[in-house]
């Protein structure tokens, strides 16, 4: 089915997920299959990012969260890390004006202090330029690990309790959620992982508690509009019960 036909079907099928999270995987395999260096797989993956952002706007998704670089990825060879950092800067430079016009608010979530100064400046620029937008929030998770995010939230809670601004009995799920990077976002309704891998890989462990999972066999550089729309249709056919029984 074509992308416009899939979009029509999504509109007929009911509620669109408000928040879609994606583990973009398979850039390296895509490059290897073509005997290309891995950074070229990532470069090709950048095109998929652009297409998926456009498709999210078309479908009416409110929040799109992309896992672009994990804390574990710092252990990759320096040339690959440098290539990924340059791609981030290039993406921001090329796309910032379009994202701004399309009504996209861009945020970079993770240990951004670890980024090189040029990448940090690019991140600060696009964050500021698009801060007022509300049509789609694009969360780019960079230098991110979910366990570290939860530890950070727990430490903040401990500091506030120690300072006397928070009482132990006020520490509940909402108190933790409010201290995560995603504090102002609804939890993801749908998580997509590409390239067939069936793992969460330390992504949004707290936030994914009731999220529907969609594993796509497609490698990230080949993932496009139609694949996103198919994932949404799959989601629309699920019976979400949040641990309750049907009424
Ligand atoms: C996983 O593929 C992908 C990444 C580690 C990086 C994702 C980055 C991009 C899509 C491009 C840049 C994105 C932005 C937002 C500018 P892998 O290398 O683990 O692939 P493999 O499992 O096949 O080796």
């Amino acid at each position: 089915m074509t992308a416009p036909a899939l979009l029509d079907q999504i509109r007929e099928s009911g509620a669109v997920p408000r928040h879609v999270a994606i583990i973009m995987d398979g850039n390296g395999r895509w490059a290897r299959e073509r005997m290309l260096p891995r950074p070229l797989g990532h470069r090709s993956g950048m095109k998929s990012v652009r297409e998926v952002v456009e498709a999210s706007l078309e479908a009416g998704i409110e929040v799109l969260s992309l896992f672009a670089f994990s804390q574990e990825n710092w252990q990759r060879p320096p040339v690959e890390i440098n290539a990924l950092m340059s791609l981030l800067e290039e993406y921001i430079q090329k796309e910032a004006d379009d994202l701004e016009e399309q009504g996209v608010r861009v945020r970079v979530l993770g240990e951004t202090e670890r980024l090189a100064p040029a990448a940090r400046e690019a991140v600060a620029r696009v964050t500021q330029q698009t801060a007022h937008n509300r049509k789609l929030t694009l969360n780019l998770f960079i230098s991110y690990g979910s366990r570290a995010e939860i530890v950070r939230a727990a430490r903040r809670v401990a500091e506030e309790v120690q300072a006397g601004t928070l009482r132990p009995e006020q520490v509940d799920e909402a108190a933790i959620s409010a201290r995560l990077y995603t504090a102002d976002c609804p939890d993801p309704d749908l998580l997509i992982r590409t390239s067939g891998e069936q793992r969460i890989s330390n992504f949004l462990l707290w936030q994914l508690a009731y999220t529907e999972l969609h594993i796509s066999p497609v490698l990230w550089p080949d993932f496009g509009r139609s694949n996103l729309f198919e994932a949404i249709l799959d989601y629309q056919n699920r019976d979400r019960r949040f641990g309750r029984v049907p009424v």
Side-chain angles (χ1 to χ4, degrees):
M1 217 188 286
T2 63
L6 288 166
L7 189 55
D8 285 343
Q9 211 174 326
I10 287 171
R11 292 193 175 126
E12 279 164 26
S13 298
V16 169
R18 290 182 67 196
H19 182 173
V20 175
I22 307 183
I23 301 177
M24 309 183 285
D25 198 8
N27 294 349
R29 275 160 284 168
W30 185 93
R32 199 173 57 224
E33 281 174 7
R34 287 159 182 77
M35 317 262 264
L36 295 170
R38 292 175 59 87
L40 282 187
H42 299 312
R43 172 165 289 283
S44 200
M46 197 165 79
K47 292 197 208 98
S48 300
V49 170
R50 187 187 164 94
E51 189 163 329
V52 164
V53 168
E54 283 172 5
S56 299
L57 285 160
E58 288 161 16
I61 290 166
E62 290 171 42
V63 185
L64 177 65
S65 288
L66 302 180
F67 199 6
F69 191 87
S70 69
Q71 284 181 329
E72 293 73 26
N73 289 154
W74 288 114
Q75 289 157 31
R76 292 194 176 193
V79 303
E80 186 168 344
I81 294 175
N82 292 340
L84 280 164
M85 291 300 138
S86 311
L87 272 183
L88 173 67
E89 282 174 56
E90 189 180 322
Y91 174 77
I92 292 175
Q93 205 154 16
K94 270 198 193 148
E95 304 290 328
D97 289 346
D98 281 355
L99 291 165
E100 147 72 350
E101 273 167 35
Q102 289 165 325
V104 180
R105 170 171 66 144
V106 182
R107 303 187 310 171
V108 175
L109 307 180
E111 287 186 340
T112 47
E113 334 54 91
R114 287 186 76 179
L115 299 180
R120 270 212 311 269
E121 275 163 34
V123 164
R125 221 174 30 245
V126 73
T127 305
Q128 202 217 344
Q129 185 182 348
T130 62
H132 59 281
N133 281 335
R134 285 296 175 272
K135 199 159 172 215
L136 172 70
T137 295
L138 173 62
N139 292 327
L140 298 176
F141 285 83
I142 293 182
S143 190
Y144 171 83
S146 180
R147 286 186 173 181
E149 178 190 30
I150 294 169
V151 168
R152 181 175 167 268
R155 192 171 294 149
R156 288 193 172 177
V157 164
E159 283 164 359
E160 288 171 46
V161 169
Q162 196 176 36
T165 52
L166 189 70
R167 292 194 310 278
E169 58 274 22
Q170 288 175 309
V171 181
D172 54 11
E173 291 187 12
I176 301 291
S177 294
R179 289 161 182 81
L180 300 176
Y181 293 120
T182 48
D184 61 348
C185 294
D187 286 341
D189 302 292
L190 171 64
L191 172 74
I192 300 170
R193 181 162 190 155
T194 60
S195 87
E197 301 293 346
Q198 307 188 26
R199 285 188 295 280
I200 302 293
S201 299
N202 202 14
F203 188 45
L204 301 176
L205 299 177
W206 176 279
Q207 298 89 333
L208 293 174
Y210 293 103
T211 301
E212 297 292 329
L213 308 183
H214 176 92
I215 309 290
S216 166
V218 176
L219 302 178
W220 178 251
D222 292 326
F223 193 92
R225 203 176 237 91
S226 296
N227 303 106
L228 179 72
F229 292 162
E230 279 160 8
I232 295 175
L233 280 169
D234 178 30
Y235 163 87
Q236 288 176 320
N237 287 323
R238 306 281 176 91
D239 176 19
R240 298 189 81 192
R241 293 194 296 275
F242 301 93
R244 299 186 292 260
V245 291
V247 281

